[in-house]
Amino acid sequence: MNFTEQSNLHVAIIMDGNGRWATARGLPRVAGHPAGAEALRRIVEAAPGCGIGALTVYAFSSDNWKRPPYEVDALMSLLGCYLARETPRCLAQGVRMTIIGRRDRLPAALRAAMEHAESETRHGRVLKLRLAIDYSARDAILDASSRAAGLQNGLRDAATPHRLTRERFGALLGEARPVDILIRTGGEQRLSDFLLWECAYAELIFTKTMWPDFSPLDLRRAVAQYAQRERRFGAIPQPPPAAREHWLR
Ligand code: FPP
């Protein structure tokens, strides 16, 4: 498939299966996460060549705080190492890195690394990489709703009535571009509180491949699978010209 036909896609990935990948190799669960970080590095490198302009990945969900402290600590320190190692690489590759999710519960050193990565890579135009850390789509929607309510109250006395539209609400969610393809590795088939608003019409692709094994070839296959799907957004398919004439008679 010619990937120049697809361009500027927004792909979101739930990178699941690190723990099982490690356990299957007789390793402790947490050993799967560094292998997952390596897989992410390869996918970021391959994404622009697959027609992807934005990539949002679920690195740590707000529900992941429920994991044992040693695993949470391992993930926090891995995220810090990832940012330190990948920021120069992203800068060189024209990748703009941004982080979505709550920051107030994260270690100060990680917050500083996030700010550094965002500021260093802010001019990147090849790929927009968004890491979701301490992220919950339901909390993001609640937060945007309360900000929208604040705006409505502020505008109550204004001469022009202010109607809250999907576009305005999407902007309050933070540059929430609609997702074109949502990929979940690891065999489960659920959204797990990830980008619920943005995935309204996403094409869902579930694979049994564990995240550390997910390769650039798998990414290409997912985009090719997406290209075969008909996206109708609730409309009906355009009838062939002959059928149209029949209906008009
Ligand atoms: C799910 O695997 C994965 C996570 C909870 C975290 C995702 C993290 C990474 C891919 C690692 C690194 C990412 C960055 C940005 C450094 P799981 O532990 O739930 O696996 P399981 O379903 O097999 O238990």
Side-chain angles (χ1 to χ4, degrees), residues 15-20 29 33 36-37 40 58-59 64 67 71 75 78-79 82 211:
M15 308 179 289
D16 196 13
N18 295 344
R20 280 166 289 161
R29 273 185 55 78
H33 298 312
L40 178 58
Y58 213 178
N64 287 152
R67 293 192 175 201
E71 184 163 345
L75 277 165
L78 178 64
L79 286 165
Y82 178 87
W211 174 250

Side-chain angles (χ1 to χ4, degrees), residues 175-219:
E175 296 175 57
R177 261 187 66 186
V179 170
D180 298 300
I181 312 173
L182 176 103
I183 300 169
R184 181 174 187 141
T185 60
E188 310 289 356
Q189 303 194 358
R190 54 177 170 257
L191 294 181
S192 301
D193 204 6
F194 189 43
L195 302 175
L196 299 179
W197 173 277
E198 296 86 335
C199 281
Y201 275 103
E203 294 295 330
L204 309 181
I205 296 183
F206 299 109
T207 167
K208 290 190 171 133
T209 304
M210 299 294 151
W211 174 250
D213 288 332
F214 191 81
S215 68
L217 180 62
D218 294 316
L219 182 67

Side-chain angles (χ1 to χ4, degrees), residues 1 3 16 26 43 51 75 89 91 116 143 156 159 184 186 194 211:
M1 157 185 194
F3 285 101
D16 196 13
I43 292 305
L75 277 165
R89 220 192 295 255
L91 188 59
H116 177 72
D143 186 49
R156 195 160 279 163
R184 181 174 187 141
F194 189 43
W211 174 250

